[in-house]
Amino acid sequence: MDSLRLTPDEPKPNSWTEIDTWLAELGAGVSFAAARIEPDGQCRIAHGLDADTQRPIGSAFKLYVLGALAQAVAEGRLSWNEQLAIRDDYKSLPSGTLQNRPAGTMLPLSEDADHMISISDNTATDHLIHRLGRDAVQRQLSLFGHRQPDANVPILTTKAFFQLKATSDQDRARQYLALPTHQRLAAVLELERLPLPGVHEILVPTRIHRPDRAFRFAGRYLPRLRRPAAARPARDPPCSLAQRRRTSP
């Protein structure tokens, strides 16, 4: 068996009021927003709860990576068919399956993107970040309307996320957060050279969802990222509202 995924068997909500009740049971630090993508490409708010507050968005950050890739293809700098070799030093932890492929396996960028979005493959994500460059992903935050893109400098690979959020070294994240922004990239590069954490470290719950170690965005502005990349201009006009919060890298 390569992997096992369990999903809760829960009844579907029947109203926004029921959703709000469920969300209230999760605690104070919860935001939610839902929007309809209209035929004209604009997002129309359907319902929101504290949708303007920045929250950790987990794997939804991969939509910025996809956007940066689509931008590079549109500008002729990359091609969906370009072959990219899997590297051991770019491998991350699950979710995903590409970490199980041998180094040197060639995949087109389109397949890396498919893995990143369809099964939230962390190894595919990190390979694309390295191929694009962190600056390209950082620029995409502004192109997609992030109001505080500097809050996410430098862009972290999922491997770096795990080194900060899923480690028994409690000082590592504190030391990283104490660094001025201009020194953090060097620290991230050092983190990416470390061996990946073991399973016993990943299961330490106090280190998984610290909001100061996560990619942050307000739910109100995320649905634009879920529009097909080909339908978006390079500078997407502001979209009225929302998304759902995700929590796992």
Side-chain angles (χ1 to χ4, degrees):
M1 180 181 294
D2 293 329
S3 63
L4 178 65
R5 181 170 184 172
L6 304 178
T7 56
D9 183 15
E10 298 177 345
K12 294 181 179 179
N14 296 310
S15 67
W16 294 122
T17 300
E18 189 173 353
I19 288 177
D20 288 349
T21 300
W22 289 1
L23 293 174
E25 294 173 356
L26 297 177
V30 176
S31 292
F32 171 82
R36 296 183 181 89
I37 301 177
E38 303 291 356
D40 63 1
Q42 296 299 307
C43 297
R44 312 297 181 196
I45 186 62
H47 186 73
L49 175 67
D50 200 15
D52 288 314
T53 300
Q54 287 201 359
R55 306 285 190 193
I57 62 171
S59 282
F61 96 93
K62 293 168 184 174
L63 294 168
Y64 291 106
V65 182
L66 179 64
L69 176 58
Q71 187 79 15
V73 170
E75 294 173 355
R77 293 182 285 111
L78 294 178
S79 165
W80 293 113
N81 297 321
E82 178 184 321
Q83 298 292 307
L84 187 64
I86 291 178
R87 294 175 46 160
D88 282 333
D89 55 334
Y90 289 175
K91 289 182 179 181
S92 186
L93 296 171
S95 55
T97 60
L98 290 190
Q99 72 278 358
N100 300 322
R101 302 278 187 96
T105 300
M106 303 296 291
L107 296 174
L109 296 182
S110 61
E111 189 168 340
D112 282 305
D114 283 344
H115 276 79
M116 176 177 68
I117 298 304
S118 64
I119 60 173
S120 198
D121 194 301
N122 291 327
T123 293
T125 303
D126 286 3
H127 278 73
L128 289 174
I129 291 174
H130 286 296
R131 178 63 185 91
L132 290 161
R134 295 175 205 270
D135 288 346
V137 181
Q138 186 70 45
R139 283 194 299 273
Q140 206 64 33
L141 270 68
S142 297
L143 292 176
F144 278 176
H146 197 297
R147 291 190 170 186
Q148 293 181 295
D150 291 346
N152 297 292
V153 175
I155 295 294
L156 299 180
T157 58
T158 68
K159 185 176 183 179
F161 269 122
F162 281 120
Q163 298 292 7
L164 290 173
K165 296 168 62 180
T167 174
S168 57
D169 184 351
Q170 299 185 26
D171 291 329
R172 183 181 295 167
R174 285 197 292 265
Q175 292 169 355
Y176 176 79
L177 292 171
L179 291 173
T181 301
H182 70 276
Q183 293 182 12
R184 288 187 176 184
L185 178 57
V188 168
L189 296 178
E190 284 297 319
L191 290 173
E192 292 173 348
R193 295 187 186 102
L194 297 175
L196 286 165
V199 172
H200 66 287
E201 295 178 290
I202 297 171
L203 297 178
V204 178
T206 56
R207 268 168 279 292
I208 297 299
H209 298 309
R210 280 285 303 276
D212 53 2
R213 304 174 199 172
F215 205 98
R216 300 175 68 80
F217 202 88
R220 174 175 293 270
Y221 300 102
L222 264 166
R224 75 172 62 187
L225 309 187
R226 304 184 74 87
R227 290 162 52 192
R232 283 192 294 266
R235 288 194 175 272
D236 199 15
C239 171
S240 299
L241 312 156
Q243 130 265 307
R244 59 193 175 114
R245 178 185 173 196
R246 299 185 62 182
T247 55
S248 60

